[in-house]
Amino acid sequence: MPIPSPFHERTQALCSSYRWKDWSGYCAVCSFDVSHEREYFAFRQSAGLLDVSPLYKYEVTGPDAAALLARMMVRDVSQLKVGRVAYTCWCDDGGKVIDDGTVARLASDHFRVTAADPTLHWLQAAGRGFDVTVEDSSTRLAALALQGPTSRAILRAAVTGADLDALKFFGVTRATVGTVPVWISRTGYTGDLGYEVWCERGDALALWDALIEAGRPHGIEPAGLDALDVTRIEAGFILLGVDYFSAKKVVLASRKSTPLELGFGWMVDLERGRFIGRDAIAAEKERGSVWQLVGLEVSWEELEALYESFNLPPSLPATARRDALPVYNDEGLQVGQATSHTWSPLLKKYLAIASVHRGYEAKGTKLQIEHTVEYERRKVTATVAPPPFYDPERKRKP
Amino acid sequence: MTGTKYDAIVVGAGHNGLVCAAYLAKAGRKVLVLERRHQVGGATTSEEIHPGFTFSCCSYVVSLLRPWIIRDLDLPRYGYEILPLEATVTPFPDGRCLVRDSDPERTRRSIAKLSPRDAEVYKRFGQEMAELGRLIKPLIDDVAPDPLSRDPRELLRLGRLGKHLRGQGDEWLFANAKIMTMSAVDFLSEWFESEELIAPMAVSGIIGTFLGIRSPGTAYVLLHHYMGEIDGSFRAWGLPKGGTGAIANAMARSARDLGVEIRTEAPVAHLLMEKGKAAGVVLGNGDEIRAQVVISGLDPHRTFLKLVGEEHLEPELAQQVKRFKMRGSSGKVNLALDALPRLACLPEYGPHLQGGITIAPSIDYLERAYDDAKYGAFSRKPFMDVLIPSLTDPTVAPPGKHTMSIFVQYAPYHLKEGAADWPNQREAFGDAVIDTLSEYMPDLKDHILHRQVLTPWDLEQIYGLTEGNIFHGELSLEQLAFLRPMAGWSRYQTPVKNLWMCASGTHPGGGIMGVPGALCARTLLGKRAV
Ligand SMILES: Cc1cc2nc3c(=O)[nH]c(=O)nc-3n(C[C@H](O)[C@H](O)[C@H](O)COP(=O)(O)OP(=O)(O)OC[C@H]3O[C@@H](n4cnc5c(N)ncnc54)[C@H](O)[C@@H]3O)c2cc1C
């Protein structure tokens, strides 16, 4: 049975829909109201406040902290300056991805790693022989994501002891909110201007109250996971357990993915010396990848025509979906699957994240995606478009 | 005289003019848009009227802008974003209220307090209206059908349309015939028993018309509101981020990227007429600019009587133009507020405020408001559609402060004392609006920092809307489809050679929809007229 998060007292009072789900063993709000629409638009128009405490968090400290993480991560995080964060993935020896997350350098010998899955054992296994201490801070720390165009104005009003305007995209700083000491990183999962705020568990409610109070004039809304799921697809972020599976968890080898297949190639520097999975990735680079992660835009005109042929108005699920749909080439051969899909209320497009066989990944390639109307399985055209689908300037603007 | 020769000049940078220009440029044509005001948008405009407060001075919500236009012109990339409206609240004078929102069960419970029977029927009604709307949608997404045509292609199209409609079965045909002829109140009374539900639902039938909710023909206008399409599927109305002006700005940016040249503060005095044909335009400063075709984004009165000039029109044509009913009937009051006012019926802060507040407490109330107008006065107790856009879109007001948009009907252009008397009555009209609204929001007056009152006379002066008609001519049945703006000339071409029309005075009509502009461009290109 899932347990309450440090913010539960506040979120459960607001969750009039009673719509919850299990996120890493915690009760997490799907949407506060019956529809997630208002929360979605808060992320894009003002600011949404989301409890992200269930994320796994680890403090890696000690003289060899940088060296250990440089070995474990695909990205060379030892080059990270203090006060910077990197998004990265990590692999097993065979170059298959275990998980993806962020690494923040809080001090020269202190890194914070976030992960979707429990990672302590892997940090310990990879860290054998290194002079480091690994602490699982997952339950000690509470975290909130404050995402959306007014998030900076809200923090400016709420924060002392930090210059928000100097905090660059993927920067991290210490600060105080009210009386609560926090870490603030300019990161998030919505692809918009946004921050994540970390505090000690006991301070959670005070942090929540201070942000809500400061946020009221700026249109802050508590938001849940349904709204997040739409924004993360718009932003082209993949999700472990949905768009790919951890190499440590699957039974079939064919279900594993590599960084190159997942579009993480830009993280990889093969020249920098050894890291876990390096040789396998180098070999794959020679050979070419089998799969490629792509974005798809489904033709609305064809969908409309399809529904029209049933004498129905077009209708799509109200929330983002994770039921995988087969993707075909123009000869009707299945060449991949769409693993996340959603209607984007902002872009007025039906978007999908998919994995396709090599040869079908070029931008503009026309594929077919399955779509069921009145229990009949049909196909409509879906065009390959490289994610992100939505990438506002404000996200990285100083 | 300028040297450049344009394929087309669009007069007026209203949203339709911009859409038309963008589509032409997309097809490779060289297009110039000339706008009289200092900014684009026409009645789709947002302006900082009070420091820090951006008002959508005229139009304030959007529903009919076609998704295919949004996609074709890539508007989201240029800043087009729509936020859904949460709810409609109808307060009653005795302190009760009706709340309809996106949660069907909550809505059902609220209606049940007025009538348990109506609560059950309400959802079904919405479905049937959406269904009706969907079936006539082909009519608004394409050029008007031409019942007199002998062109085999047109006959084929009519045949298909007829089949499409007949295919819906007799029931649908009957429903359709009813909705075309009945009054909004009569039509709604076939479904509902509670007057307090019927009244706020019926107002959609009178927006922008000089008719009352008991006038025949108003049922059809209701349907327009159920056609509002936000997400490609049929949905409620929405609020554009940054105000409706942001839509026009997105269109202008898209058009410019496609190569359109847009000049503001460039009023066109009249057309350049040569041998009875339009050869270009003459600007207010005397400059002449030539083009293969001139496309008017103005209403039919202004197009023919001002741009062309009566001296160039056949007398019968001039007569026909003058018969096209403008007669504006609505006004707008926009407020800058230093804090959120409270609704007497629901004083606590909540999402219900992020929607429309409809002042339409009873059928008699609305009919009485119309009575005032019939005799040449503004309604002492008007129908009002009130919105607080800053609650959903905080960018339009300083933090913690708010904007309020109040659409008001009736405010007849033709006052008993004459339209020119509006400047003398403007403040009294504003007072009537604020006084009436204060009955439902007792602390409203304490929070007003600034008030902008737009009478139909002002709409004409500032935005160039003849007689202040918000839709470039009433959306009444005798002025729609192949009769808009005139029988025989519904396809954007005009009796004046090389002069075309692309704005709300043409099929399918007014509202932020973009279809007249898009279809005009499509027709021009199809006929290789440019
Ligand atoms: C008060 C009000 C409220 C409304 N509310 C809504 C609403 O909520 N939702 C909705 O969908 N619709 C609403 N409407 C209707 C909608 O705004 C209009 O139908 C639509 O904006 C008209 O667009 P258009 O391009 O056809 O014409 P316009 O916007 O009228 O454009 C005409 C342009 O031509 C310019 N012009 C005029 N004369 C000249 C000249 N001689 N030379 C150069 N340029 C010239 C004008 O300045 C203007 O920019 C409202 C309208 C008003 C007035």
Side-chain angles (χ1 to χ4, degrees):
Chain A
M1 200 184 75
I3 57 167
S5 104
F7 298 102
H8 193 80
E9 226 180 291
R10 294 292 179 271
T11 50
Q12 65 116 37
L14 293 164
C15 187
S16 61
S17 69
Y18 293 93
R19 298 190 55 239
W20 300 84
K21 73 176 184 188
D22 182 329
W23 177 14
S24 298
Y26 287 92
C27 300
V29 175
C30 296
S31 66
F32 285 89
D33 206 345
V34 280
S35 155
H36 63 284
E37 211 166 26
R38 199 152 43 93
E39 298 158 34
Y40 163 80
F41 278 101
F43 277 142
R44 293 295 184 223
Q45 307 305 332
S46 45
L49 188 66
L50 177 84
D51 178 4
V52 291
S53 306
L55 268 180
Y56 291 94
K57 299 167 279 277
Y58 303 92
E59 313 298 312
V60 183
T61 48
D64 288 346
L68 156 63
L69 292 174
R71 170 163 192 262
M72 173 173 148
M73 301 296 170
V74 156
R75 239 177 129 174
D76 187 1
V77 292
S78 67
Q79 301 301 313
L80 213 55
K81 294 203 178 68
V82 173
R84 297 293 301 159
V85 186
Y87 175 53
T88 181
C89 67
W90 49 98
C91 295
D92 65 6
D93 299 354
K96 305 291 187 184
V97 179
I98 296 175
D99 199 348
D100 63 295
T102 58
V103 178
R105 189 163 203 171
L106 305 182
S108 66
D109 59 353
H110 179 186
F111 292 79
R112 178 173 295 155
V113 177
T114 65
D117 270 354
T119 305
L120 186 66
H121 77 289
W122 189 245
L123 279 161
Q124 285 172 345
R128 224 159 275 146
F130 286 84
D131 185 3
V132 294
T133 313
V134 179
E135 182 215 352
D136 183 343
S137 51
S138 304
T139 48
R140 177 169 64 81
L141 296 176
L144 290 171
L146 180 66
Q147 304 275 307
T150 62
S151 56
R152 191 190 306 195
I154 295 171
L155 284 184
R156 234 190 251 131
V159 158
T160 50
D163 179 3
L164 264 300
D165 295 303
L167 187 63
K168 295 204 195 83
F169 190 42
F170 274 97
V172 59
T173 179
R174 251 183 220 283
T176 310
V177 173
T179 55
V180 178
V182 296
W183 285 96
I184 298 176
S185 60
R186 191 166 156 191
T187 50
Y189 202 48
T190 61
D192 214 306
L193 174 66
Y195 302 84
E196 286 165 310
V197 187
W198 319 74
C199 71
E200 294 293 324
R201 182 187 179 88
D203 291 332
L205 297 182
L207 174 64
W208 176 278
D209 294 342
L211 290 179
I212 289 285
E213 182 62 28
R216 201 160 278 137
H218 300 279
I220 198 170
E221 290 279 349
L225 293 174
D226 284 0
L228 182 73
D229 216 15
V230 179
T231 56
R232 71 103 188 159
I233 296 174
E234 290 173 339
F237 289 130
I238 58 173
L239 185 57
L240 179 71
V242 174
D243 300 301
Y244 78 101
F245 297 92
S246 172
K248 291 278 175 212
K249 282 195 170 168
V250 296
V251 180
L252 294 174
S254 60
R255 276 239 166 168
K256 296 179 182 177
S257 297
T258 70
L260 300 180
E261 291 173 341
L262 295 179
F264 291 152
W266 59 272
M267 296 175 182
V268 179
D269 176 6
L270 290 173
E271 305 311 314
R272 72 168 167 98
R274 300 202 53 80
F275 59 92
I276 299 175
R278 184 206 164 274
D279 294 349
I281 298 172
E284 180 188 347
K285 209 158 187 182
E286 290 274 299
R287 207 174 51 231
S289 310
V290 180
W291 289 96
Q292 194 61 58
L293 192 113
V294 296
L296 295 176
E297 292 182 4
V298 181
S299 163
W300 182 255
E301 282 71 19
E302 281 186 32
L303 268 182
E304 223 169 12
L306 174 60
Y307 278 91
E308 187 61 42
S309 72
F310 285 84
N311 201 12
L312 284 174
S315 72
L316 291 174
T319 50
R321 296 298 294 264
R322 298 165 174 194
D323 43 339
L325 298 171
V327 172
Y328 304 91
N329 69 6
D330 49 13
E331 284 150 28
L333 234 59
Q334 188 174 344
V335 296
Q337 56 279 338
T339 44
S340 295
H341 41 112
T342 188
W343 170 252
S344 163
L346 193 72
L347 304 175
K348 304 266 171 283
K349 284 178 180 169
Y350 184 25
L351 308 173
I353 290 176
S355 284
V356 296
H357 281 301
R358 177 162 55 178
Y360 295 99
E361 71 276 16
K363 182 181 175 183
T365 306
K366 299 257 185 264
L367 298 169
Q368 302 275 310
I369 190 168
E370 184 178 288
H371 193 84
T372 303
V373 186
E374 276 298 293
Y375 317 104
E376 285 188 28
R377 290 177 183 199
R378 300 293 188 91
K379 292 173 194 166
V380 283
T381 300
T383 308
V384 174
F389 303 104
Y390 181 68
D391 193 16
E393 215 175 88
R394 59 182 179 243
K395 178 175 84 181
R396 55 190 85 235
K397 222 171 164 173
Chain B
M1 282 287 264
T2 52
T4 352
K5 168 97 177 155
Y6 294 95
D7 293 319
I9 291 175
V10 177
V11 184
H15 83 285
N16 277 310
L18 293 168
V19 167
C20 182
Y23 273 97
L24 291 177
K26 212 171 172 198
R29 304 302 187 274
K30 196 167 164 51
V31 189
L32 172 68
V33 180
L34 296 168
E35 168 56 45
R36 177 181 136 265
R37 299 193 70 221
H38 61 285
Q39 64 180 40
V40 301
T44 305
T45 181
S46 304
E47 292 167 57
E48 190 175 324
I49 296 294
H50 188 65
F53 293 84
T54 303
F55 293 164
S56 291
C57 299
C58 298
S59 57
Y60 52 104
V61 286
V62 62
S63 87
L64 291 165
L65 184 61
R66 316 306 296 154
W68 48 274
I69 295 176
I70 298 170
R71 281 189 295 269
D72 284 352
L73 303 184
D74 216 355
L75 296 182
R77 191 151 75 85
Y78 297 100
Y80 167 87
E81 289 179 30
I82 295 294
L83 320 172
L85 284 178
E86 276 299 312
T88 310
V89 181
T90 310
F92 302 114
D94 60 5
R96 287 172 307 127
C97 68
L98 167 68
V99 183
R100 294 175 286 154
D101 68 15
S102 54
D103 179 348
E105 286 308 311
R106 211 156 40 206
T107 301
R108 193 178 55 76
R109 288 194 295 270
S110 185
I111 298 175
K113 288 188 203 148
L114 305 178
S115 153
R117 190 191 150 277
D118 288 358
E120 280 178 26
V121 181
Y122 184 76
K123 198 168 163 197
R124 183 74 210 138
F125 175 79
Q127 284 167 343
E128 292 222 353
M129 289 298 272
E131 189 61 8
L132 274 176
R134 186 175 73 83
L135 296 172
I136 61 166
K137 194 175 74 129
L139 282 173
I140 65 162
D141 273 339
D142 205 342
V143 295
D146 178 359
L148 300 179
S149 174
R150 305 260 183 285
D151 178 342
R153 264 171 312 175
E154 179 63 20
L155 291 176
L156 206 68
R157 203 171 80 88
L158 279 176
R160 261 203 308 269
L161 198 64
K163 206 168 137 216
H164 169 80
L165 298 183
R166 263 198 312 280
Q168 311 309 329
D170 300 346
E171 249 173 75
W172 182 81
L173 268 184
F174 296 143
N176 202 41
K178 277 188 174 176
I179 207 165
M180 288 289 178
T181 51
M182 290 176 92
S183 77
V185 167
D186 285 345
F187 182 74
L188 288 164
S189 301
E190 292 200 341
W191 284 82
F192 303 109
E193 60 183 12
S194 163
E195 266 214 35
E196 288 168 323
L197 176 62
I198 293 174
M201 290 179 80
V203 290
S204 313
I206 52 163
I207 300 235
T209 71
F210 200 100
L211 296 169
I213 51 170
R214 290 201 179 106
S215 313
T218 48
Y220 173 76
V221 189
L222 279 183
L223 193 54
H224 253 252
H225 287 247
Y226 280 89
M227 265 189 293
E229 208 167 344
I230 286 196
D231 277 347
S233 44
F234 293 92
R235 292 289 305 284
W237 292 65
L239 199 67
K241 178 176 160 75
T244 53
I247 300 180
N249 289 337
M251 289 170 170
R253 264 181 239 140
S254 172
R256 282 201 172 101
D257 270 8
L258 290 164
V260 173
E261 185 184 336
I262 302 171
R263 285 191 218 162
T264 51
E265 297 182 85
V268 172
H270 55 84
L271 293 190
L272 183 62
M273 296 292 291
E274 282 175 0
K275 298 187 191 137
K277 297 179 188 169
V281 298
V282 180
L283 297 187
N285 63 9
D287 283 359
E288 284 181 8
I289 312 176
R290 297 180 162 270
Q292 219 175 314
V293 296
V294 177
I295 303 163
S296 168
L298 317 187
D299 63 57
H301 276 230
R302 270 182 157 55
T303 302
F304 290 104
L305 306 176
K306 297 235 162 76
L307 287 187
V308 181
E310 234 183 304
E311 66 276 20
H312 294 287
L313 297 177
E314 305 284 331
E316 276 179 14
L317 177 63
Q319 226 4 281
Q320 238 185 323
V321 170
K322 287 182 190 163
R323 268 188 219 128
F324 187 74
K325 288 196 287 279
M326 305 300 290
R327 51 175 201 185
S329 59
S330 22
K332 188 83 188 288
V333 176
N334 298 308
L335 302 178
L337 302 172
D338 67 3
L340 202 59
R342 284 170 188 279
L343 261 178
C345 62
L346 278 172
E348 71 282 12
Y349 169 82
H352 60 275
L353 292 172
Q354 292 183 6
I357 300 161
T358 306
I359 306 299
S362 72
I363 294 176
D364 284 349
Y365 177 98
L366 295 170
E367 198 62 18
R368 244 175 246 127
Y370 182 45
D371 286 343
D372 287 335
K374 277 191 284 195
Y375 304 108
F378 59 79
S379 310
R380 299 291 139 177
K381 300 246 176 215
F383 151 61
M384 289 179 269
D385 190 27
V386 183
L387 222 66
I388 309 173
S390 51
L391 270 181
T392 308
D393 174 11
T395 61
V396 295
K401 304 204 176 356
H402 293 281
T403 56
M404 182 181 278
S405 155
I406 311 168
F407 179 86
V408 190
Q409 203 159 321
Y410 299 81
Y413 176 81
H414 295 290
L415 288 172
K416 194 161 68 243
E417 298 81 1
D421 200 47
W422 263 116
N424 302 323
Q425 302 198 25
R426 185 189 294 122
E427 294 313 314
F429 168 63
D431 290 345
V433 168
I434 301 299
D435 287 343
T436 309
L437 194 53
S438 296
E439 294 171 19
Y440 304 91
M441 284 185 174
D443 62 343
L444 177 64
K445 287 180 189 168
D446 304 339
H447 297 306
I448 301 176
L449 296 172
H450 183 81
R451 131 177 153 180
Q452 177 194 40
V453 181
L454 293 170
T455 70
W457 187 83
D458 299 309
L459 293 176
E460 181 175 63
Q461 296 292 315
I462 303 172
Y463 300 101
L465 297 163
T466 302
E467 297 187 16
N469 189 293
I470 68 168
F471 292 140
H472 287 199
E474 225 168 73
L475 292 184
S476 44
L477 282 173
E478 74 280 15
Q479 303 200 151
L480 285 178
F482 51 86
L483 300 173
R484 193 170 185 90
M486 289 179 277
W489 297 102
S490 66
R491 298 269 176 103
Y492 313 101
Q493 211 164 357
T494 71
V496 178
K497 201 146 192 308
N498 298 339
L499 173 67
W500 292 67
M501 290 180 72
C502 73
S504 300
T506 60
H507 174 79
I512 306 169
M513 183 157 38
V515 183
L519 292 182
C520 172
R522 192 191 287 173
T523 311
L524 266 161
L525 294 166
K527 292 206 169 209
R528 295 179 202 285
V530 62

